[in-house]
Amino acid sequence: MGKNTIIEGGRFPKHIAIIMDGNGRWAKRRLLPRSVGHKHGMERMIGLMERAFELGVEYITVYALSTENLKRPKEEIDGLFNLMRNHFREYIGRVCAKGVRLRAIGDTSLLPEDLQQILKDSEAETAKYEGKGINVAVCYGARDEIVHAVNRAIEKGEKVTEESFANLLYTEGIPDPDLIIRTGKEVRLSNFLLYQAAYSELYFSKKMFPEFSDRDLDKAIKEFSKRTRRFGKTDDQLKK
Ligand code: FPP
């Protein structure tokens, strides 16, 4: 288990979800192809995962590819698939080797078969690990996830509760994110974890993802620790 060395008192986020936006703009500003931005983004994500686990974060969920992203030009999508094909196992494997369970969330049936297999193998190899997890959202869309869950409930023929419905989502068994970080200047959730984000703290950074440093992550965690999470209650109720 990692050690929180950056905050004294306040809350520490167990689960951080990250919207890694701005890889393309980062590359464009440097007159580089977008694919180079994605490669740097992937490398930065691995660095942030290592930092987060070192501090004691238990779950990290990464928005790697949305259902909407699949509509990008074929060349860019193929580039992203190749990046995953060539580097996913090596990079993610390095983090998972330290006892981290990997889960893919999303409609992975939309991926090329070899990529589906890479994800399945990584899930199977790391299923033995408990306590720490990386969730990679690929071909993920929150509306798609909710519709999929509703259809599963209909098939079961059972009424749902908030808890039983949560267990029909791709994130079954994973606690809701405490903190959602989005880089790249935009201030929106873009169809990410809409059900699970009901009480998440949101943190937006103007930095493009490849330049979001470990220190920036520390800053986001420090800010989270200072926020009061009321979950709909009053301050007085929280003091009891
Ligand atoms: C957003 O930047 C990023 C993406 C659409 C893809 C990111 C995915 C990867 C780098 C591969 C998988 C990574 C891991 C860690 C499993 P953008 O292209 O939308 O940037 P822009 O808004 O500047 O154009």
Side-chain angles (χ1 to χ4, degrees), residues 5-161:
T5 46
I6 55 169
I7 59 166
E8 288 169 29
R11 278 170 213 276
F12 188 80
K14 269 190 181 173
H15 181 176
I16 300 183
I18 305 182
I19 304 177
M20 48 189 304
D21 194 18
N23 293 341
R25 277 166 288 161
W26 179 88
K28 198 173 169 197
R29 285 174 194 173
R30 287 163 180 77
L31 305 177
L32 294 166
R34 292 175 65 82
S35 59
V36 175
H38 290 314
K39 173 107 194 303
H40 279 263
M42 191 168 184
E43 282 165 2
R44 188 75 287 269
M45 181 54 82
I46 300 303
L48 290 174
M49 284 173 174
E50 284 174 337
R51 175 66 181 159
F53 287 131
E54 181 189 303
L55 292 172
V57 170
E58 291 171 26
Y59 296 93
I60 300 170
T61 301
V62 186
Y63 206 2
L65 195 70
S66 69
T67 41
E68 289 74 24
N69 287 154
L70 290 171
K71 295 177 199 140
R72 287 191 178 188
K74 186 174 177 318
E75 194 192 329
E76 179 163 351
I77 295 300
D78 285 347
L80 277 170
F81 287 163
N82 279 334
L83 184 61
M84 292 188 193
R85 211 167 258 133
N86 299 330
H87 297 291
F88 185 84
R89 285 185 72 88
E90 174 203 337
Y91 287 4
I92 293 276
R94 207 169 74 207
V95 189
C96 288
K98 294 180 188 150
V100 180
R101 180 175 177 178
L102 180 109
R103 283 179 54 173
I105 58 170
D107 185 358
T108 47
S109 69
L110 299 173
L111 287 173
E113 274 184 25
D114 63 326
L115 281 181
Q116 291 184 40
Q117 198 55 49
I118 288 177
L119 290 172
K120 272 191 204 140
D121 290 346
S122 303
E123 287 184 320
E125 279 161 25
T126 60
K128 55 182 183 267
Y129 298 132
E130 280 172 31
K132 279 193 262 180
I134 293 173
N135 313 303
V136 183
V138 262
C139 306
Y140 175 89
R143 287 186 177 178
D144 166 69
E145 178 183 40
I146 291 167
V147 169
H148 178 87
V150 169
N151 284 327
R152 281 181 69 193
I154 292 169
E155 277 160 27
K156 286 180 164 216
E158 287 169 16
K159 276 196 170 183
V160 290
T161 61

